[in-house]
């Protein structure tokens, strides 16, 4: 089983993608994910991806096209850590949502 992408944003084509499988998330959560993702790519560049691992853990990934001299790799790592701290409650809720509705686990 592959990781499941929740959402992604690209600085290259200025687009945001939200996986339709998560349409049942509250609009406020979807708006927060969009704002977080778009601001990340505007600030750092490249592509920002929020996905679920097979076990339901939320993973924040960032990548850039080869030769992208404007992409800030160090800034990206720092920004990911900052988001993990600042959005800890939101990310925990998303992990629980995924585990219950997609993996069929019992709510804790």
């Amino acid at each position: 089983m592959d990781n499941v992408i929740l959402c992604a944003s690209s600085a290259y084509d200025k687009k945001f993608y939200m996986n339709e499988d998560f349409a049942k998330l509250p609009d406020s959560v979807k708006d927060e994910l969009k704002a977080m993702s778009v601001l990340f790519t505007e600030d750092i560049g490249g592509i920002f991806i929020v996905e679920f691992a097979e076990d339901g853990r939320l993973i924040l990934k960032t990548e850039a096209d080869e030769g992208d001299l404007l992409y800030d790799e160090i800034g990206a790592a720092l920004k990911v850590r900052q988001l993990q701290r600042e959005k800890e409650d939101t990310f925990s809720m998303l992990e629980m949502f995924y585990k219950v509705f997609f993996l069929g686990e019992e709510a804790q």
Side-chain angles (χ1 to χ4, degrees):
M1 184 174 171
D2 293 328
N3 289 355
V4 175
I5 294 177
L6 171 59
C7 62
S9 181
S10 171
Y12 302 116
D13 56 11
K14 306 286 187 214
K15 290 193 178 179
F16 173 78
Y17 164 78
M18 182 76 182
N19 188 335
E20 293 178 5
D21 292 341
F22 296 94
K24 292 185 180 184
L25 283 172
D27 287 339
S28 61
V29 173
K30 291 188 276 189
D31 291 344
E32 184 175 359
L33 288 167
K34 181 176 184 177
M36 175 189 73
S37 300
V38 170
L39 288 173
F40 185 99
T41 54
E42 286 182 4
D43 186 30
I44 303 297
I47 299 169
F48 181 67
I49 304 164
V50 180
E51 65 184 19
F52 291 101
E54 292 179 25
D55 64 0
R57 284 179 301 110
L58 198 66
I59 299 170
L60 307 179
K61 292 185 353 182
T62 181
E63 54 191 54
D65 288 346
E66 190 174 326
D68 182 351
L69 301 176
L70 299 176
Y71 177 73
D72 182 1
E73 192 170 335
I74 294 170
L78 293 172
K79 187 77 169 178
V80 164
R81 284 191 212 107
Q82 177 187 358
L83 289 172
Q84 289 170 328
R85 284 190 312 272
E86 291 177 356
K87 305 288 186 184
E88 184 177 0
D89 291 341
T90 300
F91 294 161
S92 293
M93 185 275 309
L94 286 167
E95 287 177 346
M96 180 59 64
F97 177 89
Y98 185 77
K99 288 176 181 178
V100 170
F101 291 101
F102 288 82
L103 300 180
E105 295 181 11
E106 293 290 324
Q108 298 176 355

